[in-house]
Amino acid sequence: MPLLPRLQLFEFLDQPWLPGPLRRGEVDYLRVVLDRVRPYDTVVPQLAELLRTAGTDQIVDLCSGTGGPWRTLLPALRAAHGGAEVTLTDLHPTPVQELPPGAHYRDTPVDATRIPEELTGVRTLFEGLHHFPPEQARALLADAAARGAPFAAYELTQRSLPYLLIQLLLVVPLVWVFTLLIRPMHWWRLVLTYLVPIIPLIILWDGVVSSLRTYTPEDLDKLTEGLDTHGYRWGSGVYRTPGMVITYLIGRPGRPL
């Protein structure tokens, strides 16, 4: 399928000036979608195998936002790898409530390109790699390889015209539907979603830009070229499930942690 050129445009959610209600409106929508759709359940076997081969139960999640998929993903992972635990991190920490057993949020900032030495284990990144331009993405991956840390990144977006057309048609109606499932139901959320639909338009923009920023497996292979010191190995590809394509990048050290 022909690809669109990769463009590093801005996303509203990346901007520190975005007003709190608009930021909350978008992250709450993304949270409820991940909780209800559970797209990453399909990667549980891959994550469990990565933990086993690395000889660790610890996961360090990067760019976690308000928790990403871990509310449902961690229980599924612990069913396959009983001791799994995850530390959620972010450059701008946003501790959240209702995390599952085995998950906790680090309340100090963590730069994904320079992980503190005390944070060890398998590094994961969900819907985050596209936020980094190539030079920063390579620095993030180089840090994992240099430290011998297993690494797994996953993205749901695609850089293709059909995918963008689907977003343009469906994102706003989906925001209207999923907003009804968000609790608590604040008055400002209803106003900014249905009466003055700023939140749906911001989510649509960020979704389109995320797609245009997405790295393909071929892009990922170029980013990791030369980052195979000390036997570190990289592999990229896609999972195809009904209605979804998940692009992944896996890094494995030459020896267990």
Side-chain angles (χ1 to χ4, degrees), residues 8-226:
Q8 192 73 30
L9 303 175
F10 87 95
E11 292 187 42
F12 283 101
L13 205 55
D14 291 340
Q15 311 308 314
W17 48 259
L18 185 66
L22 299 182
R23 181 179 303 277
R24 193 75 209 182
E26 181 167 357
V27 298
D28 284 347
Y29 164 76
L30 297 174
R31 171 180 56 81
V32 77
V33 168
L34 288 173
D35 287 352
R36 296 296 178 130
V37 179
R38 302 181 63 155
Y40 290 114
D41 282 11
T42 56
V43 308
V44 164
Q46 190 178 56
L47 284 175
E49 191 270 339
L50 196 59
L51 286 169
R52 285 192 295 268
T53 57
T56 183
D57 293 330
Q58 302 300 314
I59 296 171
V60 179
D61 189 62
L62 310 176
C63 304
S64 300
T66 57
W70 288 105
R71 280 171 296 274
T72 56
L73 178 59
L74 186 58
L77 179 59
R78 286 167 72 93
H81 186 89
E85 298 186 358
V86 61
T87 300
L88 305 174
T89 71
D90 204 278
L91 186 60
H92 304 289
T94 310
V96 294
Q97 303 297 320
E98 300 179 4
L99 289 174
H104 69 277
Y105 209 118
R106 184 180 172 101
D107 60 4
T108 55
V110 173
D111 183 343
T113 64
R114 294 187 297 273
I115 309 300
E117 292 186 3
E118 68 270 17
L119 291 177
T120 60
V122 174
R123 300 181 183 181
T124 58
L125 184 59
F126 288 87
E127 303 300 320
L129 194 57
H130 70 266
H131 288 275
F132 297 89
E135 62 275 12
Q136 291 184 5
R138 184 173 171 85
L140 183 155
L141 302 174
D143 185 70
R147 302 267 293 277
F151 181 88
Y154 301 97
E155 300 271 352
L156 279 169
T157 49
Q158 302 171 50
R159 208 174 72 231
S160 68
L161 183 58
Y163 186 83
L164 260 66
L165 291 176
I166 290 172
Q167 285 185 304
L168 292 172
L169 290 172
L170 294 183
V171 165
V172 171
L174 287 173
V175 174
W176 287 337
V177 170
F178 278 101
T179 293
L180 298 174
L181 304 177
I182 299 173
R183 295 294 183 272
M185 182 63 76
H186 295 294
W187 66 267
W188 55 262
R189 192 191 313 279
L190 298 176
V191 170
L192 296 175
T193 300
Y194 301 104
L195 187 60
V196 184
I198 299 175
I199 290 175
L201 293 176
I202 287 177
I203 292 173
L204 174 61
W205 172 269
D206 280 2
V208 169
V209 170
S210 293
S211 299
L212 293 174
R213 285 174 160 189
T214 299
Y215 292 104
T216 66
E218 293 75 19
D219 296 329
L220 297 172
D221 290 342
K222 292 179 181 177
L223 282 177
T224 56
E225 187 174 352

